[in-house]
Amino acid sequence: FAPTNEISLSSKKKGDVLIFDQLCRDIYRSVECCDTEKEAFKSFINRLEVWSDFFKKRGIRSMSYESQVGLFGELTFLQKVISLTDSFEALTAWIGPKNALHDFIFPSCTVEVKTTTSGEAKIHTRPGQLSPEYENLFICLVRLEASDLGQDLMTKVNCISEELSEEALDLFRDLLTSAGYTEMDKEYYKKNKFDIIELKFFLVEEGFPTINFDSLPKAITEVNYSLDLKLCDDFSTEPEK
């Protein structure tokens, strides 16, 4: 279509030139294939939302160690799901990168992935996230161990990418961007390699140890707490495929 309007993008931070260049190229590729100006504007807004999520998750320099660990854990569970079902459906269920309350929502259950490298099974959560009021809510505990012979984040991403269709791959890339991941940070990812020690599931049902907002005084507006899953073996389970 013949464009009737123009949009100019500029970056206020000189240190982010390479990332800004990647952002502009991504937006251009997305808008270029649109048939109408209305579609192009919609695509433009969509790409800005994806990149907005990226900058919120990535921070100033690159993904923090904790963010890499968390994403590695979510990808480990995603890889397991892809091996059991359609890859596009698996990716559609992955909403963690969108700042959702839980990481995966399927038609029959919800899964919150918690990842640790400490050797323990202590996880961090907040009131309302792990509540029995959610039907069929599972915790997937991913225990990792730092290892020079393990996988780094980029290797994990590449392994999953090889299993995806073209349509699913586009969605996967968008979700990774929303999670704060970019291949431009590959040198940072190479520094952190992990072995998967354990995947263990817990069903959050009646009696599961939790803190709810209803039990807190109104003056308390934000709370985070740690939960030791080693003391929750009574709730250990294996979700049906």
Side-chain angles (χ1 to χ4, degrees):
F1 67 94
T4 58
N5 295 292
E6 295 182 357
I7 296 176
S8 177
L9 299 175
S10 62
S11 174
K12 293 182 179 180
K13 295 183 178 180
K14 296 181 180 180
D16 289 335
V17 174
L18 294 178
I19 293 294
F20 182 67
D21 179 70
Q22 186 179 354
L23 179 154
C24 292
R25 291 175 183 273
D26 175 66
I27 291 176
Y28 177 77
R29 284 194 298 267
S30 177
V31 171
E32 184 184 29
C33 62
C34 295
D35 295 325
T36 66
E37 191 167 305
K38 185 176 181 180
E39 289 179 4
F41 183 74
K42 184 178 180 180
S43 179
F44 171 75
I45 296 299
N46 174 263
R47 301 318 300 165
L48 285 185
E49 290 176 349
V50 169
W51 281 96
S52 176
D53 289 337
F54 169 81
F55 286 113
K56 289 176 183 176
K57 294 288 182 67
R58 181 177 182 268
I60 299 174
R61 292 288 299 172
S62 63
M63 291 185 74
S64 65
Y65 177 80
E66 292 76 15
S67 294
Q68 289 184 47
V69 168
L71 181 55
F72 194 99
E74 289 182 38
L75 292 177
T76 298
F77 176 73
L78 176 65
Q79 202 167 21
K80 179 178 179 68
V81 176
I82 289 175
S83 70
L84 299 172
T85 187
D86 175 75
S87 61
F88 192 81
E89 289 183 9
L91 287 164
T92 301
W94 185 27
I95 59 173
K98 297 295 185 180
N99 295 314
L101 183 62
H102 300 114
D103 295 317
F104 291 83
I105 294 184
F106 302 97
S108 60
C109 69
T110 299
V111 178
E112 175 64 19
V113 180
K114 296 294 187 183
T115 310
T116 177
T117 57
S118 65
E120 299 181 340
K122 292 182 179 179
I123 63 172
H124 300 289
T125 185
R126 59 187 187 274
Q129 185 182 49
L130 303 178
S131 173
E133 70 181 36
Y134 296 103
E135 187 175 356
N136 291 328
L137 170 61
F138 294 88
I139 300 170
C140 173
L141 174 65
V142 182
R143 289 207 304 118
L144 304 177
E145 183 178 72
S147 170
D148 291 338
L149 300 178
Q151 273 189 332
D152 60 45
L153 188 56
M154 190 168 185
T155 302
K156 170 70 77 174
V157 167
N158 290 339
C159 287
I160 295 176
S161 297
E162 292 173 357
E163 303 174 29
L164 304 179
S165 64
E166 185 173 344
E167 181 185 25
L169 185 57
D170 286 341
L171 177 56
F172 185 48
R173 288 169 176 163
D174 281 354
L175 288 166
L176 288 173
T177 300
S178 292
Y181 174 90
T182 172
E183 292 185 0
M184 297 184 70
D185 289 335
K186 61 183 180 182
E187 295 304 319
Y188 292 98
Y189 304 145
K190 288 179 180 178
K191 298 177 181 179
N192 301 310
K193 297 181 179 181
F194 309 100
D195 283 331
I196 301 169
I197 304 302
E198 180 184 36
L199 257 75
K200 191 171 182 178
F201 294 89
F202 300 83
L203 176 61
V204 180
E205 58 184 344
E206 194 65 35
F208 188 87
T210 186
I211 296 177
N212 290 317
F213 280 116
D214 293 341
S215 64
L216 298 175
K218 291 183 179 180
I220 299 177
T221 58
E222 186 174 350
V223 174
N224 294 303
Y225 63 96
S226 296
L227 182 66
D228 191 347
L229 291 177
K230 283 186 177 179
L231 303 178
C232 300
D233 270 344
D234 288 346
F235 301 93
S236 178
T237 186
E238 185 66 32
E240 294 181 4
K241 296 181 180 181

